[in-house]
Amino acid sequence: MQLPLQCDADSTLSLQDQLFSQIRQLILNGCLTPGTRMPASRMLASDLKVSRNTVVLTYDRLIAGGYLESHHPVGTFVASDFVPDDVCSPAPDALIQTGKNNGKLLKSPPKRAPVHFKGKPHVVVSPYKTEVPYDFLVGRPDARLFPIKDWMQNMRRKLRDMQEGNSVYVEPSGLPRLREAVAHYVGGARGIQADPEQIVIVNGTQEALTLLSQLFIREGTPVATENPCYQGAANVFASHGASLHPVPVDSEGIAVEKLPSKASLVYLTPAHQYPTGAMLSPARRRRLLRWCYSTGAYALEDDYNSDFCYDTTPLPALKSQDTADQVIYLGTFSKSLGAGLRAGYMVVPRHLVGPLTVAKGLLNNCSGWAVQALLAEFLISGEYTDHLRRIRTRYKARRNRLLSLLDRYGAKGCIHGAHGGMHIAWELPPGWPTAAQLEVQARDRGVGVYGLQAAGVYIAGRQAESRYQSTVLFGYAALDRGEIAAGIKRLVEQQDTRSEVPRTVSANA
Ligand SMILES: Cc1ncc(COP(=O)(O)O)c(C=O)c1O
């Protein structure tokens, strides 16, 4: 480690005193933490162009003062039991005193540049710190089903290209091979005709939403969203100054007839509305496109989990029906492979490729080479489609298990979004606690279920007071059938005051 030390030969202080006070300061303010190994005296002396003796004597003084300790012959370390005192730590704002008023000290913050960003955080990890054995966390794939063998083989093969690939920036819009693979994939899987040039690789949908906000949103720009909708989208639009127009959703998806007369963007999740799970009906898709074409708005189609459609073939993406280049399609690998990859893509109209590529370049130059290279191989080899087929079968069986268990407890007719995706929404029957209460009670019994707030849902106006108060989300993809049965058993036993609730659930998944 190279320490940020400087010796000034013209100083009135000796070199030893300068070194002593700078190292002491680094330890006191926590930059050098207990147990950190100090550079060898010979090396430090050579870096600083001072005599070795100066460094040795400085270390000796710091050891004598309790700041360092010598572990001969291994080296010199910051003392393991050293607790920085607050003499030298920066004073908190509240203690900065600038004057007196009637004998009282006035407090005023230091002068600093204003922060112009005004974003609200969204729920992106479980809001609970502690884990529970049966966690129906929404949107999480089963890590046990990650195709680790295929991935490792590809990695071994691809690592050979790593020295070359890693040494330079990728094009901001993405690795050409991956863009080709994605264009091919969305053609077959979502009916979208796109050239590789229209694909922009991003670090997940969230980044795509940020880039699109940069392009289209200024203070007061009208943006229509589903209500309720994915909080990560609503909050990013708002952080860029959008004026949000929340539009209600029902069993056919966003209520197109309630869209505002003017908007620059409409954000929606047609395949599996987040959070209700509704699928946008074909009639509404047509009307929505007509609305876009007449208002000039772009539709942002967030297709976050359309890979999971269980009972029928999926409806083609809205983008596939877009004849006027006004739909921007957002795909992600977060649900099919895992959010840790931070990989997703946009399919964009040709006239937006330029500005989006520039915006992506300015944001982070490009996405990382390794993940892009691996994803490209995974898609091109057909392993991705095999993986999807495998997990779709498993997730379907898990969904079936969950539905049959919940049906026994009076849930029939109150479950939404079961046709696909990775979660269902259960509107609790009368007599049950509210979703927020159930969430807390369930947690006490080791079961994670999620009301809308905890599941990262944006909800505006009167909708917040409505049936959504009694809507609970169950993500079922990450639990196997036995775990689902055991979790539901615990959840239902908790409601054992309800006479119609059977007490036993078999766990033979
Ligand atoms: C509806 C919806 N869209 C987008 C995302 C974010 O996806 P990504 O991980 O690709 O940023 C999520 C994450 O849970 C989501 O629920």
Side-chain angles (χ1 to χ4, degrees), residues 56-108:
V56 171
L57 290 173
T58 307
Y59 278 9
D60 284 349
R61 275 175 68 190
L62 288 161
I63 290 167
Y67 299 101
L68 298 182
E69 56 197 18
S70 168
H71 293 194
H72 189 73
V74 185
T76 306
F77 294 79
V78 177
S80 52
D81 55 358
F82 186 83
V83 181
D85 62 37
D86 51 16
V87 179
C88 294
S89 42
D93 290 354
L95 295 179
I96 291 177
Q97 299 158 346
T98 56
K100 289 195 174 187
N101 181 13
N102 292 338
K104 285 188 202 150
L105 286 171
L106 286 178
K107 294 166 190 170
S108 80

Side-chain angles (χ1 to χ4, degrees), residues 204-206 230 267 274 302 304 332 334-335 342:
T205 300
Q206 198 62 32
Y230 175 53
Y267 165 80
Y274 190 79
D302 180 353
Y304 68 112
T332 180
S334 288
K335 309 300 165 192
R342 302 315 303 130

Side-chain angles (χ1 to χ4, degrees), residues 15 39 42 53 78 109 142 158 217 228 244 309 324 400 436 472 475 492:
L15 292 174
R42 192 185 306 275
N53 211 27
V78 177
D142 191 341
K158 272 280 119 189
I217 301 177
L244 296 182
C309 193
N400 290 347
V472 186
V492 169

Side-chain angles (χ1 to χ4, degrees), residues 9-265:
D10 297 331
S11 167
T12 50
L13 291 178
S14 71
L15 292 174
Q16 207 192 100
D17 284 348
Q18 290 178 48
L19 272 185
F20 177 84
S21 69
Q22 287 178 46
I23 296 175
R24 178 176 168 274
Q25 186 65 40
L26 287 173
I27 296 172
L28 285 172
N29 65 20
C31 292
L32 286 176
T33 49
T36 304
R37 187 183 190 141
M38 297 297 290
S41 54
R42 192 185 306 275
M43 211 160 32
L44 187 57
S46 143
D47 282 352
L48 295 173
K49 303 196 174 37
V50 298
S51 77
R52 184 170 171 222
N53 211 27
T54 302
V55 177
V56 171
L57 290 173
T58 307
Y59 278 9
D60 284 349
R61 275 175 68 190
L62 288 161
I63 290 167
Y67 299 101
L68 298 182
E69 56 197 18
S70 168
H71 293 194
H72 189 73
V74 185
T76 306
F77 294 79
V78 177
S80 52
D81 55 358
F82 186 83
V83 181
D85 62 37
D86 51 16
V87 179
C88 294
S89 42
D93 290 354
L95 295 179
I96 291 177
Q97 299 158 346
T98 56
K100 289 195 174 187
N101 181 13
N102 292 338
K104 285 188 202 150
L105 286 171
L106 286 178
K107 294 166 190 170
S108 80
K111 202 170 163 201
R112 288 182 185 140
V115 173
H116 293 298
F117 173 74
K118 49 179 173 41
K120 279 197 267 170
H122 66 293
V123 176
V124 73
V125 290
S126 169
Y128 293 101
K129 296 275 174 286
T130 50
E131 289 187 5
V132 285
Y134 306 104
D135 198 349
F136 291 88
L137 190 65
V138 181
R140 181 168 65 181
D142 191 341
R144 297 168 291 194
L145 300 180
F146 183 84
I148 192 70
K149 268 199 194 138
D150 291 340
W151 202 260
M152 278 167 74
Q153 268 170 12
N154 285 340
M155 249 177 162
R156 224 168 284 133
R157 229 176 292 136
K158 272 280 119 189
L159 281 176
R160 281 189 222 118
D161 302 335
M162 178 116 185
Q163 282 173 305
E164 194 62 29
N166 238 17
S167 63
V168 288
Y169 292 105
V170 174
E171 285 174 32
S173 49
L175 206 61
R177 201 166 154 75
L178 178 59
R179 294 168 73 200
E180 257 173 55
V182 167
H184 185 256
Y185 175 73
V186 293
R190 307 299 292 129
I192 300 172
Q193 242 190 327
D195 285 339
E197 292 72 45
Q198 291 174 261
I199 309 295
V200 178
I201 304 298
V202 284
N203 296 342
T205 300
Q206 198 62 32
E207 183 177 280
L209 294 169
T210 299
L211 295 173
L212 292 162
S213 299
Q214 284 177 11
L215 249 63
F216 293 111
I217 301 177
R218 293 293 170 269
E219 202 61 41
T221 303
V223 173
T225 66
E226 297 166 323
N227 186 21
C229 81
Y230 175 53
Q231 195 185 39
N235 287 10
V236 80
F237 301 144
S239 78
H240 284 81
S243 157
L244 296 182
H245 291 258
V247 179
V249 296
D250 60 24
S251 59
E252 285 185 66
I254 189 167
V256 182
E257 70 284 2
K258 298 202 171 130
L259 282 165
S261 56
K262 200 170 142 247
S264 292
L265 303 173

